[in-house]
Amino acid sequence: MRAWVSAAVVVIVLAGAATASGRVIRAESVLPPGRSGHVPQAGANPHLEDQLALFEAFTLKPAGFRLPGTSESPARGITIVRDAYGVPSVRAASDEQLWTGVGYALAQDGWYSSSCSGARPGTLAAVLGAGSLQSDVVARRDFYTRGELHRMLRRLPAELPARFDAYAAGINLWLARLRSDPSLRPLELVALGLDPASSGRT
């Protein structure tokens, strides 16, 4: 499972007495097994199934934004803190930096691995083989064209495309790390002979 699954929290419980203003006192969550899609070249990802026991016990874990954990600052004004389960929370000084941090964290978790081959919609079979031809047919037939997407983007409030750009910038930050340290490249890309870092920016 890819890390885009990590964005979907299966259960969120807001516990405690809520005031009239709706103040959240505590948040808890549990995420599905395979939440982190990153498969390292050596060793194992400890967070692929580490929340499975929570599912089995009908238990939740803390899901606040100020939890202790390992901290990383991929760019000025951005801090990513991962809790004991490897779940990231992004702290930033601005909206742009926030979305850059989100893009970086999800790319780091492996979400980008499913599309980092450089293949555009309708060309997946070039990477995965003839078994993906039908999905390419569906993509070319049913998905928006590039022109349609650009027309929709032009209709959006200016701040939304800016967030998309910041999100892509975060992915590019992670690609820059891959260029400097190829050992970070996910195992599935090594097996397929793909190098997202050499394909340029998103």
Side-chain angles (χ1 to χ4, degrees), residues 13-201:
V13 176
L14 305 179
T19 64
S21 64
R23 182 170 61 93
V24 175
I25 296 177
R26 188 176 75 235
E28 296 177 319
S29 69
V30 63
L31 299 171
R35 175 204 60 76
S36 176
H38 178 76
V39 179
Q41 294 183 41
N45 182 343
H47 302 303
L48 285 177
E49 297 181 347
D50 60 347
Q51 296 190 49
L52 182 58
L54 298 177
F55 268 92
E56 293 174 340
F58 294 93
T59 306
L60 302 174
K61 69 174 190 62
F65 287 100
R66 294 291 178 182
L67 297 175
T70 58
S71 178
E72 178 183 3
S73 182
R76 183 178 60 83
I78 302 171
T79 301
I80 299 172
V81 178
R82 292 182 178 272
D83 67 13
Y85 292 91
V87 179
S89 64
V90 179
R91 306 170 190 174
S94 69
D95 187 76
E96 177 184 0
Q97 291 169 330
L98 173 66
W99 285 101
T100 298
V102 170
Y104 181 92
L106 288 183
Q108 194 175 37
D109 276 352
W111 173 88
Y112 192 59
S113 297
S114 62
S115 58
C116 63
S117 63
R120 301 198 180 280
T123 60
L124 191 59
V127 176
L128 299 182
S132 299
L133 279 173
Q134 184 55 38
S135 65
D136 284 347
V137 170
V138 172
R140 294 188 184 204
R141 182 191 66 206
D142 298 344
F143 289 5
Y144 294 113
T145 66
R146 183 169 293 273
E148 289 171 331
L149 289 171
H150 280 300
R151 286 194 293 274
M152 287 188 283
L153 282 172
R154 285 195 293 269
R155 296 191 189 108
L156 293 175
E159 63 270 16
L160 292 183
R163 288 175 178 174
F164 301 155
D165 290 342
Y167 182 87
I171 294 176
N172 289 326
L173 271 178
W174 176 246
L175 290 180
R177 280 202 63 189
L178 291 185
R179 292 185 195 101
S180 64
D181 187 356
S183 70
L184 297 174
R185 191 158 46 120
L187 182 60
E188 66 268 28
L189 298 187
V190 176
L192 289 170
L194 301 173
D195 186 359
S198 67
S199 63
R201 298 169 66 83

